[in-house]
């Protein structure tokens, strides 16, 4: 869309007549018509005045893309509902994945060490805060990404491994200091 067509669409969205907007800005209706029909290019000052009168950003006027401040209450309500639906679906997908994984674990033959590990992980998860779980989830995801979990061939240099270990040890130290409220935690 052109700047003129953006201005026209926003004006109509705001239910303003061309003459009303032009009068409030102190310009002629024909000049506003020329801008909206791309016969004239508005100056920066005119764009700023239009943005102020239409209660939108200059970016929205020129690009047609809304910034957060350009969203109407209805836009925000719709976006909020869409986000809630997205989160609900993602949560259900995640829960389904966890249930299927547990079902697979229950049907497999785990040795003592694997069983003890899973019991310890579950006990930890039950008593952990969201921050603890978030950190450990990020940590495990980083390990999976580094090792190429799920890919056929692992291509990791010694330098990548050393850097990962160094960063991980620092992060783990900060995590444990914070978790156990020790001095030195950041």
């Amino acid at each position: 869309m052109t700047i003129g067509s953006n201005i026209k669409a926003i004006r109509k969205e705001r239910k303003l007549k061309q003459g009303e907007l032009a009068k409030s800005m102190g310009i002629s209706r024909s000049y506003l018509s020329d801008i909206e029909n791309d016969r004239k290019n508005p100056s920066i000052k005119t764009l700023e005045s239009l943005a102020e009168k239409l209660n939108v950003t200059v970016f929205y006027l020129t690009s047609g893309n809304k910034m957060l401040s350009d969203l109407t209450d209805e836009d925000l309500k719709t976006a909020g509902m869409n986000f809630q639906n997205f989160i609900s679906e993602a949560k259900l997908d995640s829960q389904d994945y966890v249930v299927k994984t547990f079902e697979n674990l229950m049907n497999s033959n785990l040795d003592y060490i694997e069983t003890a590990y899973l019991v310890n992980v579950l006990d930890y998860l039950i008593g952990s805060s969201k921050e603890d779980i978030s950190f450990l989830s990020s940590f495990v995801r980083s390990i999976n990404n580094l090792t190429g979990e799920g890919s056929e061939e692992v291509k990791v240099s010694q330098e990548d491994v050393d850097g990962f270990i160094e960063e991980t040890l620092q992060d783990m130290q900060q995590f444990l200091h914070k978790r156990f409220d020790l001095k030195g935690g950041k």
Side-chain angles (χ1 to χ4, degrees):
M1 291 180 77
T2 64
I3 292 174
S5 60
N6 289 338
I7 293 169
K8 187 176 192 175
I10 295 167
R11 176 182 58 78
K12 286 183 175 188
E13 181 181 286
R14 301 289 195 256
K15 296 180 175 44
L16 288 172
K17 294 187 189 279
Q18 213 174 46
E20 293 173 325
L21 181 58
K23 185 177 180 181
S24 74
M25 292 179 56
I27 61 174
S28 69
R29 190 197 61 73
S30 63
Y31 178 61
L32 181 57
S33 175
D34 286 342
I35 291 172
E36 288 183 353
N37 292 300
D38 297 312
R39 290 187 294 265
K40 295 202 177 189
N41 290 322
S43 67
I44 295 295
K45 186 176 178 179
T46 301
L47 284 173
E48 289 172 345
S49 180
L50 276 166
E52 181 183 330
K53 297 297 179 186
L54 293 169
N55 197 26
V56 297
T57 61
V58 173
F59 179 76
Y60 181 31
L61 280 180
T62 57
S63 69
N65 296 317
K66 292 183 178 184
M67 302 290 289
L68 187 58
S69 61
D70 296 317
L71 297 175
T72 63
D73 289 341
E74 189 61 34
D75 291 338
L76 290 171
K77 183 178 177 183
T78 301
M81 288 172 34
N82 289 342
F83 184 70
Q84 283 178 328
N85 290 340
F86 171 77
I87 293 296
S88 295
E89 288 173 16
K91 186 177 177 182
L92 288 175
D93 289 345
S94 296
Q95 288 174 340
D96 286 345
Y97 175 76
V98 169
V99 167
K100 288 177 184 173
T101 302
F102 273 114
E103 286 173 354
N104 289 338
L105 283 172
M106 295 299 291
N107 295 326
S108 63
N109 291 325
L110 300 176
D111 63 26
Y112 173 76
I113 292 174
E114 293 167 329
T115 305
Y117 174 77
L118 288 173
V119 167
N120 287 330
V121 167
L122 289 173
D123 284 344
Y124 180 82
L125 287 175
I126 290 168
S128 295
S129 69
K130 288 183 180 182
E131 291 84 17
D132 293 346
I133 294 170
S134 178
F135 172 79
L136 290 175
S137 176
S138 174
F139 173 71
V140 170
R141 190 176 317 113
S142 296
I143 290 173
N144 287 342
N145 290 339
L146 179 73
T147 60
E149 197 66 30
S151 65
E152 293 178 22
E153 188 176 328
V154 177
K155 296 181 182 177
V156 181
S157 70
Q158 185 63 44
E159 188 177 295
D160 289 340
V161 172
D162 291 343
F164 175 77
I165 291 171
E166 187 175 323
E167 287 177 22
T168 301
L169 288 174
Q170 289 172 0
D171 290 345
M172 188 61 75
Q173 183 178 19
Q174 289 175 358
F175 169 74
L176 291 172
H177 279 279
K178 185 177 176 185
R179 174 89 160 102
F180 297 109
D181 199 26
L182 300 173
K183 292 183 181 183
K186 296 175 182 155

